[in-house]
Amino acid sequence: LMASLVLGFVALLLAPAAAFSSPGPAGRVSAPSRSALLCSAASVPVGALTEPQSQVLYDGQCMVCLTNKALLNWFDRGRKRISFVDIRSSSYSGDEHGGVSYEDAMAHFHVVANGMVTEGSEAVFAAYQAVGLGWFINVLRLPIVRWLVDGVYSFVSRHRHTISRFLPGGRALSNAVSSVH
């Protein structure tokens, strides 16, 4: 999640490329092939997309998640390559979203695309690749950079609610969430 924030801010400084790039190793994909998930979006012409290719599962009461959602929406620029599913919605059903349970969705970032589920930092990469930042994702997949991204992702994932308190609007949202529990 923090990696996605860093990715978003760095990418704002750089003009996003329209081309997708090939995937790299790491992350978990619950399907026969990780490359099928990430390369499938590359084989579809931009104008041919009528439905979102990827569903991003997010926590609607987490400022880190909401910030990531806003960045992904900005990079998508209305092309509808991704859609968002609030896991805190009363209508959320893991069976309808790749079999990802609420508990697992709360623990890790997930992207569901073409019947395949990606989680963790690889899911962050898949989401940003889906909105056209594959070229930048390949830089983040370089071994030493990937090691740092995975470390930052792990830390932010574990402490996202605490980090959310320090983001704009985060303290009010955190207090509202705490009062419900």
Side-chain angles (χ1 to χ4, degrees), residues 32-157:
S33 160
R34 178 182 308 105
S35 62
L37 168 66
L38 299 176
C39 289
S40 64
S43 63
V44 178
V46 173
L49 295 176
T50 57
E51 293 185 22
Q53 293 289 66
S54 302
Q55 291 182 337
V56 175
L57 307 184
Y58 75 100
D59 177 357
Q61 296 179 354
C62 168
M63 288 306 295
V64 171
C65 301
L66 292 172
T67 302
N68 189 42
K69 179 183 178 212
L71 287 169
L72 285 165
N73 270 326
W74 187 85
F75 285 115
D76 194 34
R77 293 186 180 93
R79 293 177 290 201
K80 299 185 184 208
R81 291 181 178 173
I82 57 174
S83 65
F84 297 93
V85 177
D86 184 354
I87 61 172
R88 291 213 188 223
S89 168
S90 61
S91 63
Y92 178 77
S93 168
D95 295 334
E96 295 174 13
H97 303 289
V100 179
S101 70
Y102 171 79
E103 292 77 19
D104 198 26
M106 286 296 285
H108 303 284
F109 188 82
H110 288 80
V111 172
V112 181
N114 302 320
M116 294 176 260
V117 176
T118 309
E119 73 175 10
S121 62
E122 190 62 35
V124 173
F125 289 169
Y128 280 93
Q129 185 153 359
V131 297
L133 292 176
W135 63 274
F136 189 66
I137 296 305
N138 281 342
V139 172
L140 295 178
R141 283 193 170 114
L142 294 172
I144 190 72
V145 178
R146 178 61 188 251
W147 178 79
L148 291 169
V149 167
D150 287 343
V152 169
Y153 172 84
S154 178
F155 177 82
V156 172
S157 182

